[in-house]
Amino acid sequence: MNKIKLMSHLVAGYPTDELSLTAARSLIKGGADILEIQLPFSDPSADGPAIQTACTKVLERGYRTSDGLAFISQIHKEFPDTVIYLMSYGSLIYTPGVENFCKKAAEAGVKGMIIPDLPFDFDEGLTAACKANGMINIPVAAPSMSAERLHKLAHAGFPYIYAALRVGITGTDTKIDSDTLSFLNKVSEGGSKVYGGFGISNGEQAKALAGSVEAIVAGSAFVRIISENQDDGSKLAEKVEAKARELSGLN
């Protein structure tokens, strides 16, 4: 079995700074090629209960954007060859100024930005600010988009597009069927490479998806493991690594 390229999602600072770092190390050890690190946000509209709860818990202890960027910087220094993407929401980027934020993110080691609530054609200057700082903006495509709008995004020249595999929030199970694969074909028809995620939690789903995407994306599956094992760091590390290995096709 060939290794499946894996982008794994992690909430910065959850449940603690130390355990968050433990989880990041375990994801990379288990085969994660890309870390999608989410800066906690108070109203994460695309996220399911597991990630929403994680964000709330981190914010309750006074976690700030600067803490998240320091966390990213630490991981980047330890694993300079692992690609890091920053995921968050528009107001967090817009408030300090898009250009200013992108500069700080790039300095921390971020290679790309995933901001689901900034549409690709009204992005408040995000694509340009990413480019100016050596990063890429990765817009999100959803099955709810009109055919015309999806076609426009697919042909807009983005190197990568994040394809949300179904409508709604992350964390509930996703069935990979002919409709899913047809949607992915439309997203990639303009030449962009596609990251596919939302509800990917087991090796069977990963295998079904792998041939149609540049990398599979998994998030809530890891956040749940972290939540369930936060009282035992070594068990948390072991289970996160095992899940990453399963999704990467290494088991």
Side-chain angles (χ1 to χ4, degrees):
M1 172 70 197
N2 292 334
K3 184 190 177 308
I4 297 166
K5 196 165 183 185
L6 171 64
M7 185 201 297
S8 56
H9 176 285
L10 191 65
V11 176
Y14 181 71
T16 65
D17 292 352
E18 187 186 347
L19 287 175
S20 194
L21 197 55
T22 297
R25 289 171 178 145
S26 301
L27 287 167
I28 293 166
K29 196 176 172 189
D33 304 276
I34 303 163
L35 290 186
E36 178 195 9
I37 299 179
Q38 177 167 353
L39 295 186
F41 186 64
S42 56
D43 185 23
S45 54
D47 297 310
I51 292 174
Q52 281 194 27
T53 302
C55 285
T56 302
K57 298 263 190 223
V58 178
L59 290 171
E60 277 171 356
R61 57 187 185 86
Y63 204 82
R64 301 170 67 85
T65 296
S66 56
D67 298 315
L69 292 174
F71 172 67
I72 288 170
S73 181
Q74 188 173 357
I75 294 169
H76 176 61
K77 281 176 184 142
E78 198 171 324
F79 302 98
D81 296 332
T82 298
V83 173
I84 298 175
Y85 293 149
L86 185 153
M87 182 259 161
S88 197
Y89 290 88
S91 66
L92 215 63
I93 314 305
Y94 186 75
T95 304
V98 175
E99 175 67 39
N100 178 37
F101 187 95
C102 285
K103 184 172 184 293
K104 286 181 177 173
E107 285 168 357
V110 173
K111 293 287 181 247
M113 304 278 281
I114 302 169
I115 313 296
D117 59 344
L118 282 184
F120 72 96
D121 44 357
F122 295 98
D123 70 0
E124 305 291 352
L126 179 62
T127 300
C130 282
K131 197 170 182 181
N133 288 281
M135 300 188 297
I136 52 170
N137 177 27
I138 303 166
V140 178
S144 55
M145 279 180 159
S146 68
E148 183 186 1
R149 188 160 174 74
L150 186 57
H151 183 270
K152 189 180 171 189
L153 170 56
H155 292 84
F158 289 97
Y160 297 94
I161 297 172
Y162 185 129
L165 299 179
R166 54 175 170 69
V167 178
I169 56 173
T170 63
T172 49
D173 224 21
T174 295
K175 189 169 180 286
I176 312 300
D177 55 19
S178 57
D179 287 346
T180 312
L181 301 180
S182 168
F183 168 62
L184 289 169
N185 284 336
K186 288 173 189 167
V187 177
S188 64
E189 71 178 13
S192 302
K193 291 181 177 177
V194 179
Y195 298 127
F198 261 52
I200 303 303
S201 61
N202 63 58
E204 288 309 307
Q205 289 172 306
K207 283 173 197 157
L209 194 56
S212 302
V213 295
E214 169 70 10
I216 66 145
V217 187
S220 296
F222 292 115
V223 175
R224 280 193 288 268
I225 290 170
I226 292 165
S227 298
E228 288 160 9
N229 296 281
Q230 56 186 294
D231 296 331
D232 186 341
S234 58
K235 198 172 173 189
L236 182 151
E238 183 188 316
K239 293 204 165 191
V240 167
E241 183 187 343
K243 179 56 73 174
R245 290 183 68 82
E246 178 194 340
L247 293 170
S248 298
L250 296 175
N251 279 355

